């Protein structure tokens, strides 16, 4: 029966070839899951241990609920994939049946006029001559930096004056 660290390594091989966010999964495994559970056999991890660990992440260590939920999802998916791969001991999933608490992290934030002015002042002081154009476009569109950097000419309709972002952070086009 493999250890959690061994299952995590196999999971990462899978994630690297199939997930855009594999680097985040790798960081969560390396910094959180493997240090806590890595030496244990996958059958030795109990639901009570995982629940206590996840609760402590929020209550004692100050992590956001959304971060802890992501840890839970990655950990659970490791076991599900282990079962699919017929890894010995992975039919036991200590995270099965655990619900994800609502992170309640929705927010809509706009810069205040004072913040916009400070940003413009900082941009004008920059040695980067293109920065003022980039920041102006970000302010005008409300796009994320990565969306702008990944923009392609075929997604811009000059006639209709629209820009379609084919893959936003939510995984949908807008």
């Amino acid at each position: 029966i493999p250890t959690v660290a061994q299952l995590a390594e196999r999971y990462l091989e899978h994630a690297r070839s199939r997930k855009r966010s594999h680097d985040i999964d790798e960081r969560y495994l390396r910094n959180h899951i493997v240090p806590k559970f890595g030496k244990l056999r996958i059958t030795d991890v109990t639901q009570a241990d995982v629940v206590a660990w996840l609760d402590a992440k929020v209550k004692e260590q100050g992590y956001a609920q959304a971060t802890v939920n992501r840890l839970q999802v990655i950990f659970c998916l490791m076991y599900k994939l282990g079962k699919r791969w017929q890894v010995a001991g992975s039919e036991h999933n200590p995270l099965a049946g655990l619900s994800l608490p609502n992170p309640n992290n929705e927010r809509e934030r706009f810069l205040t006029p004072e913040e916009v002015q400070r940003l413009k002042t900082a941009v004008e002081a920059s040695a980067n001559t293109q920065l003022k154009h980039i920041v102006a476009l970000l302010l005008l569109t409300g796009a994320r930096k990565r969306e702008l950097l990944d923009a392609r000419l075929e997604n811009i309709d000059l006639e209709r004056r629209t820009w379609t972002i084919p893959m936003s952070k939510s995984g949908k086009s807008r």
Side-chain angles (χ1 to χ4, degrees):
I1 295 178
T3 63
V4 170
Q6 290 168 322
L7 183 59
E9 190 53 46
R10 180 141 184 217
Y11 168 79
L12 278 175
E13 289 172 22
H14 173 81
R16 285 182 189 118
S17 65
R18 290 175 176 78
K19 290 182 73 177
R20 288 191 311 155
S21 62
H22 66 85
D23 57 324
I24 296 170
D25 290 13
E26 185 170 2
R27 189 170 55 247
Y28 279 36
L29 286 164
R30 182 181 65 246
N31 296 333
H32 301 280
I33 296 171
V34 171
K36 176 66 177 176
F37 297 102
K39 293 180 181 176
L40 296 176
R41 301 272 173 217
I42 60 176
T43 52
D44 294 338
V45 178
T46 68
Q47 190 171 76
D49 290 340
V50 174
V51 168
W53 176 68
L54 292 171
D55 285 346
K57 287 282 188 192
V58 174
K59 294 175 183 164
E60 297 169 19
Q61 297 175 25
Y63 283 94
Q65 187 63 57
T67 300
V68 174
N69 285 358
R70 182 96 182 237
L71 283 168
Q72 183 177 337
V73 166
I74 293 167
F75 208 177
C76 187
L77 183 56
M78 278 177 36
Y79 275 89
K80 285 181 181 179
L81 289 171
K83 186 175 181 180
R84 183 185 307 162
W85 299 326
Q86 298 179 342
V87 173
S90 60
E91 59 278 351
H92 153 81
N93 186 342
L95 293 107
L98 286 182
S99 61
L100 294 170
N102 183 355
N104 195 20
N105 63 350
E106 292 180 22
R107 68 180 190 182
E108 190 170 284
R109 165 96 161 67
F110 298 96
L111 295 178
T112 65
E114 294 81 23
E115 290 171 323
V116 171
Q117 191 54 51
R118 284 198 328 259
L119 178 61
K120 286 181 178 180
T121 302
V123 166
E124 288 299 325
S126 172
N128 184 339
T129 59
Q130 294 301 310
L131 190 59
K132 64 182 175 186
H133 305 296
I134 295 166
V135 170
L137 188 55
L138 290 171
L139 287 170
L140 180 67
T141 62
R144 291 180 173 89
K145 177 182 75 168
R146 183 82 262 160
E147 292 170 341
L148 182 58
L149 292 173
D150 291 343
R152 301 185 56 88
L153 191 55
E154 64 251 21
N155 299 127
I156 297 172
D157 184 340
L158 293 175
E159 227 174 81
R160 291 179 40 206
R161 300 178 71 148
T162 59
W163 169 26
T164 302
I165 299 171
M167 182 65 77
S168 68
K169 186 175 176 181
S170 68
K172 300 174 184 171
S173 67
R174 62 182 180 99

